[in-house]
Amino acid sequence: MTQNPSSNPPELRPDLAPQLQVQETPRAGQPTLGMVSLGCPKALVDSERILTRLRAEGYGISPDYTGADAVIVNTCGFLDSAKAESLDAIGEALKENGKVIVTGCLGAEPDYIREHHPRILAVTGPHQYEQVLDAVHAAVPPDPNPFVDLLPATGVQLTPRHFSYLKISEGCNHRCKFCIIPDMRGRLVSRPAHAVLREAEKLVTAGVRELLVISQDTSAYGMDRKHDLNPWKGDEVRSHITDLTRELGRLGNPKDLWIRLHYVYPYPFVRELIPLMADADTAVLPYLDIPFQHSHPDMLKRMARPAAGAKTLDEIAAWRATCPDITLRSTFIVGYPGETEAEFQHLLDWMDEAQLDRVGCFKYENVDGARSNALPDHVAEEVKQDRWERFMQKAQAISEAKLEAKVGQTMDVIIDDIDEDGIATCRTKADAPEIDGNLFIDEGTDGLKVGEIVTVEVDEAGEYDLWGKLG
């Protein structure tokens, strides 16, 4: 059996969304916009909302610059490297097209953008949909055809049609020293529970098989609304992550629908979610994406992380006791200012005990405006690199052992792609799109369709991926 290299190598940025996918052809004469969507899944949802509004006004959507009357670049400003990537994308769009509108997180720094690219038409900040529309109208006046330009009920999706991101809130109330997201996106603003559920229900009705719940802090959902009650199907539902997750899990049969939770901070009440994941009759997957960032209590204090005092190993043990099949994914930062070798070793030892299933890792870097920039004892670049390599070696060994233990097991997978050679790229319940591993089926795939959920028997394992045959 030929082992294709994993599409998810350890150096992959764990904050990135899948590549934008546009699956329509503009009609002749239709005013057309190109879209470049950078950054995280939350930014991809913003891009979908912008394009849905524009599509409703009669604009066509181009998957590239060719033939587009203007280009919208949805930027990322999370790290300095992401800022550089955004500036490069703006420059490329200016070169290839000439008419460029900038939005997104880096749009919160318009002077910085214009300093590098003075020719851009307009700059708006994150989730400023109306301002983006105004800029588009000024650059490319709408010309709708009411007999042709009918918006599908589901709006515009930039992810493959079988999965979709479901954003439940904007902003964040935390003040982690390495992060400037609250400065860019503001404080927590949760969507009403019934609005989230209505959107989810429409997506499921339209054929979406996997909903990925995202926000800046999923655990905090509804806190700003004081967990108010919302009308839903003749009853009421609280704006609370436990209640919302329970209702999402009832939207479909677990054989046909997957609900996956991302960005869940490890508050004590998270344990209330675990019984939902253990329930075989709910669509909620036994998958928890929790950004621990580090293990050493002094490091967490220097980061100003929420729940810094939580006994995370005890929590992990409690989650696994309730739901033995739970998959735990997390991200970590190595080389944070002041990190000592002893503190880093504490993290490696913690990893041995925690045995997380999926792990991403950043090397710390300064971000303009972050409070961590002013901390003393910054770590040398070569030390950061050495720690990152040692950390990833540890994570890879854990992943390899866990995957090897799955050989011989039967499990459900969702099909993401089938290539011209008939090799199907799939994901198990333990794998989120882009950031986790894959399962490959390389024979007997005739008749299978992208988006199907099928049963396979695992017959081979690698460092990050699995191979299997249809059961």
Side-chain angles (χ1 to χ4, degrees), residues 173-232:
N173 289 346
H174 301 306
R175 302 295 295 175
C176 303
K177 288 186 177 180
F178 56 83
C179 183
I180 59 171
I181 285 176
D183 298 323
M184 294 187 294
R185 289 187 168 262
R187 292 180 62 79
L188 176 71
V189 179
S190 302
R191 299 175 61 195
H194 64 284
V196 175
L197 291 166
R198 189 163 56 240
E199 179 183 351
E201 190 173 51
K202 286 182 178 179
L203 288 167
V204 173
T205 300
V208 169
R209 308 295 293 275
E210 181 177 10
L211 292 173
L212 300 108
V213 177
I214 58 169
S215 66
Q216 303 296 343
D217 178 1
T218 297
S219 306
Y221 171 73
M223 287 183 177
D224 58 308
R225 305 179 64 88
K226 302 187 186 304
H227 301 310
D228 59 342
L229 292 172
N230 297 260
W232 178 246

Side-chain angles (χ1 to χ4, degrees), residues 1 358 399-400 402-407 411 413 424 426 428 431 437-441 458-468:
M1 181 177 298
R358 301 296 193 189
S399 172
E400 193 169 5
K402 281 182 167 284
L403 292 182
E404 185 63 36
K406 294 184 178 183
V407 173
M411 58 185 64
V413 300
C426 315
T428 73
D431 302 307
N438 293 310
L439 182 144
F440 299 100
I441 308 172
V458 179
D459 57 12
E460 193 172 343
E463 294 170 350
Y464 297 100
D465 299 318
L466 297 169
W467 285 259

Side-chain angles (χ1 to χ4, degrees), residues 174-425:
H174 301 306
R175 302 295 295 175
C176 303
K177 288 186 177 180
F178 56 83
C179 183
I180 59 171
I181 285 176
D183 298 323
M184 294 187 294
R185 289 187 168 262
R187 292 180 62 79
L188 176 71
V189 179
S190 302
R191 299 175 61 195
H194 64 284
V196 175
L197 291 166
R198 189 163 56 240
E199 179 183 351
E201 190 173 51
K202 286 182 178 179
L203 288 167
V204 173
T205 300
V208 169
R209 308 295 293 275
E210 181 177 10
L211 292 173
L212 300 108
V213 177
I214 58 169
S215 66
Q216 303 296 343
D217 178 1
T218 297
S219 306
Y221 171 73
M223 287 183 177
D224 58 308
R225 305 179 64 88
K226 302 187 186 304
H227 301 310
D228 59 342
L229 292 172
N230 297 260
W232 178 246
K233 294 187 179 297
D235 204 345
E236 291 182 318
V237 58
R238 280 194 309 162
S239 293
H240 187 286
I241 188 56
T242 304
D243 299 52
L244 182 71
T245 302
R246 182 181 298 110
E247 293 301 323
L248 288 171
R250 293 171 175 167
L251 292 179
N253 185 303
K255 282 289 184 182
D256 301 317
L257 176 65
W258 291 0
I259 308 293
R260 191 183 301 275
L261 300 184
H262 286 279
Y263 312 119
V264 180
Y265 281 76
Y267 301 131
F269 64 78
V270 167
R271 65 186 63 170
E272 298 171 12
L273 292 169
I274 310 304
L276 298 175
M277 299 179 177
D279 185 350
D281 294 325
T282 180
V284 181
L285 294 181
Y287 180 100
L288 206 52
D289 173 15
I290 296 195
F292 288 121
Q293 306 296 14
H294 211 280
S295 64
H296 197 284
D298 292 342
M299 279 294 300
L300 293 168
K301 288 177 184 176
R302 288 201 293 275
M303 291 178 171
R305 289 289 292 164
K311 296 180 179 178
T312 51
L313 289 174
D314 292 343
E315 287 296 314
I316 289 171
W319 299 337
R320 285 176 170 152
T322 302
C323 183
D325 293 333
I326 193 168
T327 295
L328 299 178
R329 138 165 283 282
S330 191
T331 51
F332 295 86
I333 298 173
V334 296
Y336 187 82
E339 184 186 51
T340 65
E341 178 60 27
E343 289 168 339
F344 175 70
Q345 187 60 51
H346 183 281
L347 176 58
L348 294 183
D349 295 341
W350 186 92
M351 285 282 290
D352 277 330
E353 291 192 63
Q355 291 288 300
L356 300 182
D357 302 88
R358 301 296 193 189
V359 172
C361 184
F362 291 99
K363 289 177 287 186
Y364 172 82
E365 62 177 76
N366 282 341
V367 178
D368 189 30
R371 293 182 296 155
S372 56
N373 300 354
L375 290 174
D377 304 321
H378 279 244
V379 177
E381 286 301 320
E382 60 270 21
V383 176
K384 291 182 194 175
Q385 181 66 26
D386 173 71
R387 290 178 182 172
W388 182 86
E389 290 175 0
R390 290 157 61 195
F391 180 93
M392 291 310 302
Q393 186 177 18
K394 173 77 68 177
Q396 179 178 313
I398 293 171
S399 172
E400 193 169 5
K402 281 182 167 284
L403 292 182
E404 185 63 36
K406 294 184 178 183
V407 173
Q409 292 184 19
T410 298
M411 58 185 64
D412 291 338
V413 300
I414 191 166
I415 301 172
D416 281 340
D417 181 63
I418 302 174
D419 68 17
E420 58 187 15
D421 296 322
I423 297 175
T425 300

